Amino acid sequence: MIPVNVGVVGCGKISDAYLQASATFPVLNITACADLALAAAQALGSSYDLEVLSVDALLQRPEIEVVLNLTIPVAHAEVNLAALAAGKHAYCEKPFGLDTAEGRGVLAAAEEAGLRVGCAPDTFLGGSHQTVRGLIDDGAIGRLVAGTAFMMGSGHESWHPSPDFYYQPGGGPMFDMGPYYISALVNALGAVKSVAAIGSRAYEVRTIGSEPRAGETIAVEVDTHLAGTLEFHSGALVTLVMSFDVIAHGHSHIEIYGTEGTLIEPSPNGFGGAISIAKRGDPPAATPDQRWRDLPLSHGHAGALRSIGLADMCAAIRLGRDHRCSGELGFHVLEIMAAFDRSSRERQRVEIESHPQRPAPLLASLVEGELDPSDAAS
Ligand SMILES: NC(=O)c1ccc[n+]([C@@H]2O[C@H](COP(=O)([O-])OP(=O)(O)OC[C@H]3O[C@@H](n4cnc5c(N)ncnc54)[C@H](O)[C@@H]3O)[C@@H](O)[C@H]2O)c1
């Protein structure tokens, strides 16, 4: 397969993870980078031997087919639109936009231009989450009934040097971590039909604990504890709690309940991790903990592989198939996150309009670095 030339816009903290993992995927040829802060682009360029360009110059380069947009959330839609206007496919970090209007604008521009748009997270393509998907599709736990998903912590101001954005619109636990959990749930259970949620905030101000601003306070402008239920088109109900107001808890990241058993799925903020199952008819266990059986992973790609979603989009461009981390999926996740806030404010259930297809599962037999069977890729 002829590699796809990619240019990076936004050379901050997460760019390193993409560049490192991209070496696993032969379809990726990341050649250039740009950032509003020249020093950031120069640092990434010298670490990975990339041509350092201005954003405009990168967008004008005819050989670059895909823009990898790793800017901050407030710039995601703007940079995606600029890439599409320059005739390039765009793949961006999460979230797909700050609100549904931004997300809709990007989807419409991509459709009009006949170009692709993709969105992180891609962790659901990891070995553990694809194993869960395969088990569900094979009927290992029967018909899906319900589930739970918990992401709860005490916030990022204890360690992050500049944590203000976590407490401003577009931040909060839902926009920060929701994309991982909701994408994993849609991969496992399909599209969401409606959301009913309530939000609150335990503190009106937060005190920064990390240098260089230790002791400064931040006003909290968003809810920091959101609890709600997702109604899936399949009929399953999943209770999701996202919080920056909890010191410690003992819940699994994700549990999925079927008529014949329960699956415990590891954190969707990673690609691997242990999967456990307990089934109707299992022999009685001496203690409740002993009824869980760990399952081997049926799929590879379980390491730190942030860029697998980009690689999948690039392979899809070459092969003319759909890509998995699609703009439609990114928009669905964004609509669900926004619905949590709206449901809480309006004190009512919110119907979800978008209804993307579940992304196609990956084959279990794939070699590390390949997203398609070798006869398709040749
Ligand atoms: N840091 C992480 O651990 C992490 C993990 C997963 C996902 N993400 C996501 O990745 C994205 C980037 O996060 P980060 O931590 O790398 O942020 P960062 O602040 O470290 O880097 C962002 C970079 O984008 C540049 N930038 C901003 N607006 C721009 C524009 N209009 N044009 C060109 N460059 C622009 C900034 O100058 C900065 O260098 C966010 O959406 C975040 O949610 C981050």
Side-chain angles (χ1 to χ4, degrees), residues 9-10 12-14 35-36 70-71 73 76 93-94 180 306:
V9 175
K13 197 160 176 348
I14 199 63
D35 196 294
L36 290 182
L70 303 181
T71 60
H76 285 174
E93 250 304 332
K94 49 83 184 167
Y180 297 107
R306 242 171 251 255

Side-chain angles (χ1 to χ4, degrees), residues 103-158:
R104 276 199 189 89
V106 172
L107 286 184
E111 189 174 351
E112 198 179 333
L115 292 163
R116 294 186 188 236
V117 63
C119 185
D122 53 7
T123 44
F124 71 87
L125 299 179
S128 291
H129 308 291
Q130 289 294 311
T131 298
V132 166
R133 167 72 182 266
L135 287 162
I136 288 174
D137 289 356
D138 289 347
I141 58 169
R143 180 170 51 81
L144 299 174
V145 175
T148 57
F150 291 97
M151 192 300 297
M152 300 193 292
S154 56
H156 298 303
E157 66 276 20
S158 58

Side-chain angles (χ1 to χ4, degrees), residues 80-100:
N80 283 343
L81 290 171
L84 294 166
K88 312 208 178 292
H89 308 283
Y91 183 96
C92 80
E93 250 304 332
K94 49 83 184 167
F96 193 54
L98 292 185
D99 55 37
T100 52

Side-chain angles (χ1 to χ4, degrees), residues 228-268:
T229 296
L230 309 172
E231 178 198 21
F232 285 77
H233 283 279
S234 68
L237 302 180
V238 177
T239 300
L240 175 66
V241 183
M242 310 292 292
S243 184
F244 285 159
D245 292 347
V246 172
I247 305 298
H249 71 91
H251 297 286
S252 311
H253 292 280
I254 297 179
E255 296 191 356
I256 302 173
Y257 312 128
T259 50
E260 301 306 316
T262 292
L263 277 170
I264 299 183
E265 185 170 350
S267 169

Side-chain angles (χ1 to χ4, degrees), residues 9-18 34-38 40-41 55 69-76 78-79 92-95 120 159-160 165-166 175-176 180 269 306:
V9 175
C11 306
K13 197 160 176 348
I14 199 63
S15 59
D16 204 47
Y18 273 83
D35 196 294
L36 290 182
L38 182 60
V55 176
N69 175 2
L70 303 181
T71 60
I72 51 177
V74 71
H76 285 174
E78 172 198 325
V79 171
C92 80
E93 250 304 332
K94 49 83 184 167
W159 63 271
H160 198 288
F165 73 93
Y166 287 113
F175 273 70
D176 179 36
Y180 297 107
N269 191 18
R306 242 171 251 255

